[in-house]
Amino acid sequence: MEQGSAHDGARPAYAPGVFPRAVVGARVPAQAPGPGRAPEPGRAPEPERARGEHTHGERLPGEPPAPRAVRRHSVRGQILDALRTALVDGELAPGQVYSAPALGARFGVSATPVREAMQQLAAEGAVEVVPNRGFRVSERGPRELAELAQVRALIEVPVMLDLARTVPARRWSALRPLADATVAAAAVGDLAAYAESDRAFHRAVLALSGNGQLVAVAEELHRRAQWPPVSGPAARRADLLADASEHTALLDALVAQDLTVVRALVSEHFTGAES
């Protein structure tokens, strides 16, 4: 059983009860036997009704069955998104240990979905399991971030250069809102929004290759490189603005099919991420 509590002094990022519990689907009423049909074994016969009479909720012959209520939102998925946001925002501090029960109380849910979400984050390298205590947020230094940037560059740069030669300008223009979203998030220093829009932009660019496996691998590496933050708020905001401006400049070069500028920008984009 895990012990301990969330990091002292950390402000709760989410109010209790923010994640509503899923509603279990209702059963579809069984169809009553019609005229001339024997009742099911063990079932009392239904009283006969006048011809043409139809009661509310009964399915007529030929009608499709009523749909079952479905669970539209996964509590685990919502907790995972909330934890990722807290990691990017720095509200879950690097090196600190957090227990699933304490985080569950913080989010207004049981410890189970928190523990499941934390296991996913452990697989992604964002946290590590501490037996009998909980999960420690990973501490990532400049060297590890540089290694991640190098691997991302090895994957993404050749693909972007190849796409620059083959994708028509109109398709690049369609990505303009994604580039603008990174600029908007950077301007207000919204780390979580920037992280999401940054991944969305890179994902959309790589998706033009038609290689789903490539997109999935690049997405995982990108997410690993986004947390935890290793610099102060002012430095992070300056970095975000510089990074966002590179998205816009890269998109302009791709629309113009200026391969020389594209090559310089994509190389700088990842080289700058190493510092």
Side-chain angles (χ1 to χ4, degrees):
M1 179 175 180
E2 294 174 0
Q3 299 177 348
S5 62
H7 176 53
D8 291 339
R11 64 181 178 87
Y14 308 93
V18 70
F19 302 112
R21 300 189 181 277
V23 179
V24 179
R27 290 190 58 186
V28 179
Q31 182 180 354
R37 245 184 353 176
E40 297 176 7
R43 185 184 180 94
E46 299 286 345
E48 292 189 3
R49 295 186 296 274
R51 183 180 300 275
E53 182 182 355
H54 177 61
T55 59
H56 178 69
E58 182 182 355
R59 181 162 54 92
L60 293 174
E63 282 186 343
R68 294 179 184 270
V70 295
R71 182 176 299 176
R72 297 187 181 276
H73 299 289
S74 163
V75 174
R76 173 186 173 278
Q78 293 179 68
I79 293 297
L80 181 58
D81 288 342
L83 288 171
R84 283 173 170 163
T85 297
L87 283 166
V88 172
D89 282 342
E91 294 195 26
L92 295 182
Q96 293 296 323
V97 177
Y98 299 88
S99 73
L103 288 173
R106 191 178 194 177
F107 295 142
V109 298
S110 71
T112 299
V114 175
R115 191 175 292 110
E116 292 173 348
M118 279 294 200
Q119 292 290 350
Q120 174 63 36
L121 291 173
E124 296 174 1
V127 301
E128 57 187 81
V129 178
V130 181
N132 301 319
R133 292 186 61 196
F135 302 86
R136 178 183 290 114
V137 178
S138 299
E139 296 182 90
R140 212 161 261 165
R143 177 171 180 174
E144 187 174 356
L145 292 173
E147 291 173 351
L148 284 167
Q150 183 179 32
V151 176
R152 288 185 62 207
L154 289 172
I155 293 174
E156 295 193 38
V157 171
V159 175
M160 289 187 183
L161 292 175
D162 183 59
L163 292 173
R165 300 183 187 96
T166 58
V167 174
R170 59 180 176 78
R171 298 195 68 183
W172 293 120
S173 297
L175 303 187
R176 182 71 60 186
L178 298 177
D180 291 343
T182 66
V183 175
V188 296
D190 190 334
L191 296 176
Y194 183 83
E196 181 66 31
S197 59
D198 184 28
R199 290 197 311 275
F201 177 79
H202 282 262
R203 184 168 60 243
V205 170
L206 297 177
L208 293 174
S209 69
N211 188 330
Q213 296 299 317
L214 168 73
V215 174
V217 170
E219 172 92 354
E220 181 180 354
L221 288 169
H222 197 166
R223 194 185 290 277
R224 283 175 179 264
Q226 287 181 322
W227 59 55
V230 293
S231 56
R236 289 200 299 269
R237 183 171 181 179
D239 290 342
L240 295 185
L241 288 168
D243 202 44
S245 67
E246 288 176 359
H247 290 156
T248 303
L250 174 60
L251 195 56
D252 290 339
L254 289 167
V255 170
Q257 295 183 318
D258 189 333
L259 300 184
T260 301
V261 175
V262 169
R263 181 183 297 275
L265 284 171
V266 294
S267 299
E268 172 63 26
H269 192 62
F270 291 99
T271 301
E274 297 177 13
S275 56

